[in-house]
Amino acid sequence: MTASRIVLIVLDGIGDRPHPALHGATPLSAARTPVLDRLAREGITGIMDTIAPGIRPGSDTSHLALLGYPPRECYTGRGPLEAEGSGIRMRPGMVGFRANYATLDSEGRVTDRRAGRIHGTEPLSKAIEEGVDLSSFGVRFRFVSGAGHRAALALEGEGLGDGVGSNDPKKEGVPPHSFVPTSDLPADAKTAAVLNEFVRQARPILFDHPLNRERLARGLLPANEVLLRGAGRMGHFQPFSERYGMNGAVVSAATLITGIGRVVGLGTIPVEGATGSIDSNIENKVEAVVRALETHSFVLLNIKGADESGHDGKAEQKRDFIARVDGALAPLLDLPETVIAVLGDHSTPCTVRDHSADPVPVLIRGEGVRPDRVERYDEFACAEGGLSRIRGCDLFPILLDLVDKAHKYGA
Ligand code: ZN
Ligand code: ZN
């Protein structure tokens, strides 16, 4: 019998390097992971360069590769993906940006790039959508809040380019930059002018907003500035269902990941208690995956917490989070007719505190898989596995073959 469904479990930032606090183990190899180990024992394992050896992947480019969309052909910047993940329908040609609410002092200097880690900015974003007018440029826009201090902007209109820098000074105590084009194309100059006008009009709206007055009265930092980055023009993505003949869904708390899902035509399944941090309700996410499989033949589950611990340099926290994830994955062990792949989208070593190019461990388990001798899921054991060393773009074809959806090459 052949499996008919695929679950792709991305443990975001799972890969790591030997850590002194763990006596030379990695957080994954130090963690107790009976569920992942059983999957490794029953499956085939390997290590994977999600983009290519020596390339440090972003989560966006790596997820595109894992879904079989070569990022060198498809990737047009983070902005449009964030905008889609925030619920903005991005049409081809629209230009998207990742936005942050920030705090300016009375001298116009940035005092907090995250506005005191504000939550619940929807009234601010709504006021900006209603109050800012870019029609003199022939431009329409959407501005939508995301989680915490995050938001997304999308511009639509004739002659807009995506070659434009950020106004984020990346440090505190200095004023935001003006937007400048990164080329001498008129389209990029136009976008820079539109953005400068956008923040000029947004400032008084934010300054006078009751939500900010109330924050000031409570001694909290106001969200009185918008910082924009990650400009990108929405590209064309062949729909997942057309490309693979399968319908799919994404379970993830990160708007960047749900955005990638949406641009390729994967549905988003919201989950109560999913936060994208180490306090996330992983049990609820796994339950959502099991339910989604009743109506979808493909589900992507992204679990973000380990990446966060890696960025914070907390090896023990990362190890303990991985052990908790392992327990939560148990309900997936006995799914019938299902191929399960477990992997990272990149390594986020606690000693580096950022993404690195170290390959990630990968396992595939399901009907028809030829098991190897590896009995543990970690960076060291999987390097001995039967998949050897593959690239991110190799993964989806392998999975498709296991569910009998691969096309024959030649006669
Ligand atoms: Zn990632
Ligand atoms: Zn990261």
Side-chain angles (χ1 to χ4, degrees), residues 326-348:
D326 184 83
L329 295 177
L332 302 178
L333 281 171
D334 300 313
L335 290 172
E337 287 179 47
T338 308
V339 172
I340 298 178
V342 183
L343 40 112
D345 56 342
H346 49 77
S347 295
T348 311

Side-chain angles (χ1 to χ4, degrees), residues 12-13 59 304 307-308 311 346 348 354-355:
D12 207 300
S59 291
K304 187 87 182 145
D307 179 56
E308 201 177 79
H311 283 288
H346 49 77
T348 311
D354 203 347
H355 304 179

Side-chain angles (χ1 to χ4, degrees), residues 223-310:
N224 55 13
E225 175 71 327
V226 176
L227 299 176
L228 299 165
R229 60 191 157 104
R233 189 198 297 266
M234 180 64 180
H236 178 75
F237 295 85
Q238 186 188 17
F240 187 90
S241 56
E242 185 186 305
R243 198 173 177 92
Y244 301 129
M246 304 178 85
N247 68 331
V250 177
V251 176
S252 169
T255 50
L256 186 62
I257 309 305
T258 53
I260 288 166
R262 283 173 52 121
V263 301
V264 302
L266 298 174
T268 305
I269 296 174
V271 177
E272 192 77 48
T275 63
S277 288
I278 57 163
D279 63 353
S280 191
N281 192 326
I282 309 159
E283 287 77 10
N284 276 6
K285 290 176 85 168
V286 171
E287 201 186 303
V289 170
V290 174
R291 240 180 306 117
L293 284 169
E294 290 166 13
T295 47
H296 298 82
S297 45
F298 171 75
V299 180
L300 164 65
L301 167 64
N302 173 286
I303 300 175
K304 187 87 182 145
D307 179 56
E308 201 177 79
S309 301

Side-chain angles (χ1 to χ4, degrees), residues 6-222:
I6 299 171
V7 181
L8 182 58
I9 303 172
V10 180
L11 305 175
D12 207 300
I14 189 86
D16 213 299
R17 294 178 180 175
H19 198 281
L22 303 174
H23 312 289
T26 63
L28 175 59
S29 71
R32 213 183 89 78
T33 54
V35 174
L36 290 168
D37 294 346
R38 182 176 145 193
L39 290 170
R41 192 165 58 246
E42 296 173 358
I44 189 166
T45 64
I47 54 174
M48 177 168 67
D49 301 287
T50 43
I51 307 294
I55 305 292
R56 292 183 163 194
S59 291
D60 43 12
T61 50
S62 59
H63 275 77
L64 283 172
L66 295 173
L67 292 170
Y69 290 78
R72 287 195 210 284
E73 291 163 30
C74 299
Y75 184 62
T76 55
R78 173 180 191 164
L81 306 175
E82 288 275 1
E84 273 280 354
S86 305
I88 300 172
R89 187 81 258 173
M90 293 292 287
R91 288 175 283 275
M94 285 173 83
V95 182
F97 304 83
R98 156 83 190 267
N100 271 16
Y101 277 104
T103 305
L104 295 188
D105 66 11
S106 56
E107 314 279 296
R109 292 173 302 218
V110 177
T111 52
D112 190 326
R113 291 176 57 247
R114 300 189 182 94
R117 290 211 174 255
I118 190 172
H119 282 272
T121 63
E122 287 79 7
L124 299 177
S125 299
K126 194 155 179 284
I128 288 175
E129 280 206 322
E130 285 166 2
V132 172
D133 180 4
L134 302 174
S135 60
S136 63
F137 294 95
V139 169
R140 294 173 302 283
F141 75 96
R142 295 285 325 273
F143 189 77
V144 176
S145 290
H149 59 281
R150 301 177 193 89
L153 170 69
L155 303 177
E156 185 169 32
E158 287 295 307
L160 290 172
D162 62 354
V164 61
S166 171
N167 64 336
D168 186 347
K170 289 279 168 72
K171 59 182 177 202
E172 276 137 22
V174 294
H177 300 310
S178 287
F179 292 97
V180 288
T182 55
S183 80
D184 45 20
L185 295 174
D188 294 340
K190 176 172 177 178
T191 301
V194 168
L195 295 176
N196 284 320
E197 181 61 16
F198 174 83
V199 292
R200 195 188 68 78
Q201 289 187 32
R203 268 183 206 150
I205 293 168
L206 294 173
F207 185 81
D208 283 333
H209 198 280
L211 194 147
N212 274 330
R213 292 182 177 209
E214 188 211 341
R215 282 180 69 81
L216 280 166
R218 286 163 57 206
L220 299 172
L221 293 172

Side-chain angles (χ1 to χ4, degrees), residues 338-400:
T338 308
V339 172
I340 298 178
V342 183
L343 40 112
D345 56 342
H346 49 77
S347 295
T348 311
C350 295
T351 49
V352 179
R353 294 179 173 232
D354 203 347
H355 304 179
S356 74
D358 300 280
V360 295
V362 49
L363 75 82
I364 301 171
R365 179 266 219 174
E367 208 65 47
V369 167
R370 300 194 302 229
D372 54 29
R373 296 201 179 98
V374 173
E375 303 205 327
R376 225 190 114 72
Y377 179 71
D378 66 37
E379 298 90 335
F380 307 107
C382 289
E384 315 267 319
L387 286 170
S388 301
R389 185 167 181 158
I390 60 173
R391 294 194 187 195
C393 274
D394 298 331
L395 180 79
F396 222 82
I398 294 171
L399 298 177
L400 287 172

